[in-house]
Amino acid sequence: MKRLIAIILTLGISSCGTIGIGSNHETMIFNNSSDVISASSDNGIFKIKPNEKMRVRAGNGITIKTPNDNCPQPIIARRPNSAAIFLDIFPGIIFGIVPLAADAITNNLYKMPRQYTYACAE
């Protein structure tokens, strides 16, 4: 019984992106321009008024669009969650691909930046 509990605990600890470290899928976007911008993610389209901020949840990136053709329309990209990946490999290698698969299924191998400021200097 102790052995089974030890295996379950070790398995839980080894999928650190899902349990413990987690992953940041929310980005606080501040609109530092004079136009209303649209932030598109896999959760919908959000309008952000000038000099306001909004928290946008996304797993695969955020596209910002503006009606002003002179302003950039950037894509806020996700980046690897290096701490979770490292812990999935060591000590997660004991369980083979299970910890890495658990984090991949829950989309915790990547994270979004915590905040982003959109600016357009015309």
Side-chain angles (χ1 to χ4, degrees):
M1 184 68 170
K2 289 181 182 180
R3 180 176 242 173
L4 179 62
I5 292 173
I7 289 173
I8 291 171
L9 287 174
T10 308
L11 181 62
I13 291 170
S14 63
S15 59
C16 290
T18 304
I19 303 167
I21 293 174
S23 183
N24 182 24
H25 294 291
E26 292 183 345
T27 302
M28 180 64 77
I29 300 175
F30 178 70
N31 182 3
N32 195 19
S33 71
S34 58
D35 299 314
V36 175
I37 61 172
S38 299
S40 303
S41 73
D42 45 355
N43 288 339
I45 299 173
F46 306 92
K47 300 281 187 190
I48 307 172
K49 296 177 183 175
N51 296 317
E52 288 189 6
K53 59 185 173 182
M54 180 180 285
R55 188 172 306 277
V56 177
R57 184 166 176 77
N60 296 316
I62 301 169
T63 303
I64 296 180
K65 294 184 180 179
T66 178
N68 190 339
D69 292 334
N70 297 326
C71 294
Q73 298 191 18
I75 296 174
I76 305 170
R78 63 185 186 166
R79 59 183 190 266
N81 189 348
S82 56
I85 293 171
F86 175 77
L87 291 172
D88 282 345
I89 295 171
F90 180 80
I93 196 74
I94 297 168
F95 297 102
I97 197 163
V98 174
L100 195 59
D103 286 344
I105 289 170
T106 58
N107 201 18
N108 285 321
L109 289 177
Y110 295 95
K111 61 183 177 179
M112 294 295 294
R114 294 204 184 278
Q115 56 186 333
Y116 181 84
T117 300
Y118 177 79
C120 177
E122 295 184 58

